[in-house]
Amino acid sequence: MKPDFTMDRLKRMALFARVVELGAMSAAARELGMTPSAVSQQLRQLEAETGVALLHRSTRRLATTEAGQAYYEGCAAMLHAAQSAERRLGDLRDAPRGELRVAAPVTFATRHLAPALAPLLREYPELSLRLFAEDRQIDLLGERIDLAIRVGSLADSSFIARRLTEWRHLLVATRAYAAEHGLPQSPEELGTHPMLILSVLNQPQFVELHRVGAQTRRVRVDGRIAGNNAEALKQLMLQHLGIARLPEVDIASELAEGRVVQVLPEWQMSPIGVYAVTMRRDSQPPKVRMAIEALRDYLLAGGSAAHAAHRDD
């Protein structure tokens, strides 16, 4: 006879295993919130489906038949596998473990991911990290990315974006550049200086500046150096090759040391958002949820740990 493994049949198999393990239908009934007669009815149905007597019943004891014992071992293995799967799922739901796949811009990955996520990785040794440091926007679905970091404006997407913080951006140049070329004294003069442009698109580039009590100025800028990596542009700026727009958090130590000066300090640019992007909003596994929390806490604290680590290198 071909077995008919319907969901009801599987439930009866699990019920049979628990009856045998507990040694009484009444005990199984209490555990499962059923009446003893309902348990007995389900077992009779199982015997009818299998065409085999599974239990010897008496008023004083319950025992498996020879066929019932063999059948119980298979049913018990099925039940224990389901219980094990439930425990593993609970572990994954309650504690971060497994592989966390993170995509981030190269500069962010280099300067910020280590101090942000290191405490989490130390606390949970069963959590592993696979890092995709890319300045291009990686295919989250194709690469099975759990969490992506995006800095700046976001394209329309079906993915879920959470704002972690906002970064103030500054126009900066080295003291040596300022001594040799001078610095712009107005937004319009900015267009006469070489800019290090964070873009590889062959399109006009603009800087928008704001000041209290003044109209917003939108200035077209140009330069012979452009790229898609902020850290590379920062290093070129440190070689006195022009003015760069950089996150304050990534240039703070050079400003404090006096190697770099702020350009047009009385004018400000709109802050740029830093986002955590995931493929779904609900039922996030702990590894993703706790990684987002760790990144947010680190960024809201100003990333001071990253700067300390960077200065120590």
Side-chain angles (χ1 to χ4, degrees):
M1 180 177 62
K2 183 179 179 180
D4 180 17
F5 287 111
T6 63
M7 290 303 297
D8 288 341
R9 174 73 168 274
L10 293 173
K11 290 176 184 177
R12 283 190 279 271
M13 291 169 68
L15 175 61
F16 171 64
R18 287 307 290 152
V19 168
V20 174
E21 288 171 353
L22 295 172
M25 293 187 192
S26 57
R30 285 193 298 271
E31 180 181 270
L32 299 172
M34 301 171 65
T35 64
S37 62
V39 171
S40 179
Q41 182 180 1
Q42 289 294 309
L43 294 180
R44 284 197 298 270
Q45 179 68 26
L46 184 60
E47 289 177 323
E49 291 170 348
T50 59
V52 175
L54 301 173
L55 293 169
H56 293 300
R57 299 169 176 84
S58 72
T59 56
R60 305 183 65 178
R61 62 189 298 270
L62 190 73
T64 57
T65 63
E66 181 180 359
Q69 181 61 33
Y71 192 59
Y72 158 72
E73 292 172 3
C75 292
M78 177 199 73
L79 179 60
H80 296 160
Q83 291 169 336
S84 177
E86 190 72 19
R87 285 193 297 271
R88 287 196 298 269
L89 184 61
D91 289 343
L92 289 170
R93 185 177 58 242
D94 300 333
R97 63 181 64 207
E99 184 179 74
L100 176 67
R101 298 169 72 89
V102 178
V106 173
T107 300
F108 189 97
T110 302
R111 296 180 63 89
H112 302 291
L113 271 185
L117 296 183
L120 188 66
L121 291 164
R122 281 195 295 265
E123 184 175 355
Y124 298 99
E126 294 187 21
L127 177 65
S128 63
L129 173 66
R130 187 170 296 272
L131 174 60
F132 297 76
E134 300 272 1
D135 286 320
R136 65 182 177 89
Q137 292 208 356
I138 194 169
D139 178 3
L140 304 193
L141 190 60
E143 297 289 350
R144 297 185 295 109
I145 299 299
D146 297 305
L147 170 63
I149 304 300
R150 298 279 192 257
V151 180
S153 59
L154 295 175
D156 290 338
S157 170
S158 60
F159 299 136
I160 305 304
R162 298 169 176 81
R163 185 186 292 267
L164 298 175
T165 190
E166 287 185 338
W167 274 348
R168 183 185 179 210
H169 272 56
L170 305 178
L171 294 169
V172 294
T174 61
R175 286 192 178 278
Y177 175 89
E180 182 176 355
H181 302 283
L183 293 177
Q185 300 303 304
S186 69
E188 288 72 20
E189 288 183 24
L190 185 63
T192 67
H193 286 258
M195 284 285 297
L196 285 76
I197 296 169
L198 186 61
S199 175
V200 291
L201 299 177
N202 190 20
Q203 296 177 350
Q205 300 294 316
F206 296 88
V207 172
E208 195 168 272
L209 296 167
H210 315 274
R211 189 175 72 175
V212 175
Q215 289 186 336
T216 295
R217 308 288 179 84
R218 191 168 186 263
V219 182
R220 180 170 178 172
V221 295
D222 199 4
R224 60 193 178 97
I225 298 173
N228 66 345
N229 180 268
E231 183 64 23
L233 294 181
K234 172 184 171 181
Q235 295 304 319
L236 288 163
M237 181 273 298
L238 291 173
Q239 295 300 315
H240 327 302
L241 291 171
I243 297 171
R245 172 182 177 167
L246 294 169
E248 183 178 18
V249 69
D250 287 340
I251 199 67
S253 60
E254 289 81 2
L255 284 166
E257 293 163 2
R259 298 168 58 196
V260 167
V261 295
Q262 187 175 349
V263 177
L264 297 171
E266 67 276 17
W267 292 85
Q268 295 183 352
M269 291 175 286
S270 298
I272 290 181
V274 181
Y275 300 88
V277 179
T278 58
M279 287 188 287
R280 56 188 299 177
R281 183 186 302 276
D282 300 324
S283 303
Q284 290 287 359
K287 63 182 180 181
V288 175
R289 187 176 66 251
M290 294 181 73
I292 292 173
E293 291 172 0
L295 283 161
R296 183 175 58 244
D297 291 346
Y298 163 82
L299 291 170
L300 291 177
S304 57
H307 293 304
H310 187 68
R311 287 196 297 269
D312 291 340
D313 288 343

